[in-house]
Amino acid sequence: PLFAEFAFGGLAMAHNGNFTNGWALRRGLVDQGSIFQSTSDTEVLIHLIATSTYSGVIDRFVDALRSVVGAYALVALTDDAVIGMRDPLGVRPLVLGTLDGAHILASESCALDIIGAQHVRDVAPGEIIVIDRRGVQSLSPFAAVDSRFCIFEYIYFARPDSLVEGLNVYEVRKRIGAELAAEKPLAADICVPVPDSGTPAAIGYADTAGIPFEIGIVRNHYVGRTFIEPGEQIRHLGVKLKHNANRAYIEGKRVVLVDDSIVRGTTSTKIVEMMRNAGAAEVHMRVASPPVSHSCFYGVDTPDRDELLAAKLDVEGMRELIGADSLSFISIDGLYRAMGEPGRDADAPQFCDACFSGEYPIRLTDQENGNGNSKQLSLLADTA
């Protein structure tokens, strides 16, 4: 969170997501005399609030948000109110809860469960929630548009015990695995999840395919997510520390591995190699998402596109690189069916699936202006 003192009092703010015109706004604010203390685009919004000509804190908040383009769930704390906001397309999640008469804002419903709070509802796309002495106020200052919730939240980022947009994440992931088994059947002896995010999909796959589900890989829970680690050497070390084969269940078996996604391919390559070293007769890989072929600019920390495996290779090339006997991904229509939809509406997709389709629902202003990830360091040097 960032904190600033204003004429109306203190303001603390944090957000999940990304402003896709944040660098352009930052440039303009620096030209007007604003002094930035961080690289966070949250600070852009603080400066926009500071320079707003409106008087009330909520009016200044809304005025600042009208300048922002992007995907975000945002929370702020003033001297006498808590404020929550979701972007108009509702790409990132935000929920409202209650505990002993107090109201709570959080990204996921599991956060409410942990403290014994009750889940009230999702904050609607484009809605501003103001919690103060008068209770909960709902404001809708932006024109209504069709929502585009991030489908990757269901695949990987949300916790499986969360209720997201009315759907249980664990149940959705099992349905994705079932669709994957129906689309890409396979003769195998055991179905092994790549833990932990691949586990629910593997359960669904094994059940539909009629293949025994086994914990063939044991995960060290003290190592974090490896695909977002900054260096290749660190990522490779992280994979080795993170997983270990359960040899007794692997040796001599035809193994189907089920994972949630393939980003750089680092984990997949090491896992397939691990299965071979444990004596697997065959190693097949099934992936519970379509190929991740485009970078996310909406708050998921995927790398530049030239580092995405699916942007460089076709499926056969990916299979050869990771060393599997076969490799298959769920289709994008199959993914949508698992979400309870008849398929993907090509004219008006029901979710944000830009990382698979390349169709970005929110304008990428900074990218269009050449201010992409690879140029952020030079921009920082210019504005320092």
Side-chain angles (χ1 to χ4, degrees):
L2 297 180
F3 175 79
E5 286 282 0
F6 294 87
F8 56 75
L11 177 71
M13 184 181 299
H15 89 275
N16 168 31
N18 187 49
F19 301 148
T20 56
N21 66 339
W23 289 98
L25 291 171
R26 182 188 183 101
R27 283 283 199 181
L29 288 162
V30 168
D31 289 343
Q32 295 170 20
S34 294
I35 299 173
F36 282 79
Q37 303 294 326
S38 76
T39 61
S40 171
D41 50 356
T42 308
E43 192 175 5
V44 171
L45 191 57
I46 287 177
H47 281 279
L48 289 172
I49 293 171
T51 56
S52 172
T53 57
Y54 285 81
S55 57
V57 58
I58 301 301
D59 289 337
R60 293 174 78 155
F61 191 78
V62 172
D63 183 44
L65 285 170
R66 292 191 188 281
S67 299
V68 168
V69 178
Y72 53 87
L74 186 150
V75 291
L77 180 67
T78 69
D79 289 344
D80 55 9
V82 177
I83 305 168
M85 168 70 190
R86 281 181 78 187
D87 67 84
L89 270 66
V91 177
R92 304 259 72 89
L94 189 65
V95 298
L96 177 67
T98 183
L99 175 64
D100 298 330
H103 292 91
I104 302 158
L105 291 168
S107 288
E108 294 187 46
S109 64
C110 65
L112 304 175
D113 298 334
I114 290 167
I115 62 172
Q118 290 184 316
H119 177 247
V120 176
R121 64 177 178 87
D122 293 292
V123 176
E127 181 184 16
I128 295 178
I129 293 285
V130 180
I131 304 168
D132 58 18
R133 291 182 179 87
R134 295 171 291 180
V136 178
Q137 303 172 62
S138 173
L139 309 175
S140 300
F142 304 102
V145 293
D146 292 336
S147 66
R148 296 286 294 275
F149 185 74
C150 171
I151 203 165
F152 206 73
E153 291 276 358
Y154 288 106
I155 294 166
Y156 180 69
F157 265 102
R159 265 183 36 165
D161 51 337
S162 281
L163 188 70
V164 177
E165 300 288 285
L167 298 175
N168 177 266
V169 174
Y170 177 79
E171 177 59 31
V172 168
R173 289 178 184 170
K174 286 207 304 181
R175 296 205 304 253
I176 292 173
E179 283 285 344
L180 179 60
E183 286 188 350
K184 309 294 182 182
L186 176 71
D189 298 313
I190 59 171
C191 178
V192 173
V194 178
D196 285 318
S197 51
T199 300
I203 293 171
Y205 189 100
D207 185 58
T208 298
I211 300 172
F213 173 90
E214 298 289 354
I215 301 299
I217 302 169
V218 178
R219 178 185 171 185
N220 176 356
H221 286 268
Y222 298 96
V223 179
R225 289 165 169 168
T226 50
F227 88 82
I228 60 174
E229 292 290 351
E232 184 175 359
Q233 186 176 3
I234 296 175
R235 287 194 298 273
H236 281 282
L237 178 61
V239 172
K240 290 181 179 180
L241 293 174
K242 188 174 181 178
H243 300 112
N244 190 44
N246 190 357
R247 178 180 287 271
Y249 281 85
I250 300 300
E251 194 167 12
K253 303 289 180 58
R254 297 172 299 169
V255 178
V256 54
L257 293 167
V258 179
D259 203 356
D260 60 274
S261 60
I262 294 179
V263 181
R264 288 184 174 95
T266 303
T267 298
S268 301
T269 302
K270 292 299 179 183
I271 291 294
V272 170
E273 181 184 9
M274 185 185 299
M275 294 295 99
R276 302 276 191 211
N277 292 339
E282 297 175 11
V283 183
H284 304 271
M285 194 148 205
R286 296 295 180 265
V287 185
S289 68
V292 178
S293 54
H294 293 76
S295 296
C296 177
F297 301 99
Y298 302 142
V300 176
D301 195 11
T302 51
D304 290 337
R305 197 179 179 209
D306 59 5
E307 296 181 49
L308 296 172
L309 199 62
K312 300 182 289 186
L313 300 171
D314 60 13
V315 174
E316 176 56 24
M318 295 171 72
R319 181 206 65 77
E320 185 175 349
L321 186 141
I322 68 174
D325 291 292
S326 71
L327 171 66
S328 295
F329 296 80
I330 194 171
S331 70
I332 198 160
D333 280 328
L335 178 60
Y336 271 72
R337 285 193 294 271
M339 302 301 305
E341 303 287 346
R344 183 181 190 269
D345 186 338
D347 296 324
Q350 304 92 316
F351 297 93
C352 176
D353 55 27
C355 53
F356 310 129
S357 67
E359 297 178 17
Y360 294 96
I362 300 170
R363 184 174 177 179
L364 305 177
T365 303
D366 290 333
Q367 295 297 313
E368 294 168 6
N369 293 337
N371 295 346
N373 292 341
S374 61
K375 299 192 177 182
Q376 287 183 357
L377 287 178
S378 61
L379 278 169
L380 284 175
D382 291 343
T383 57

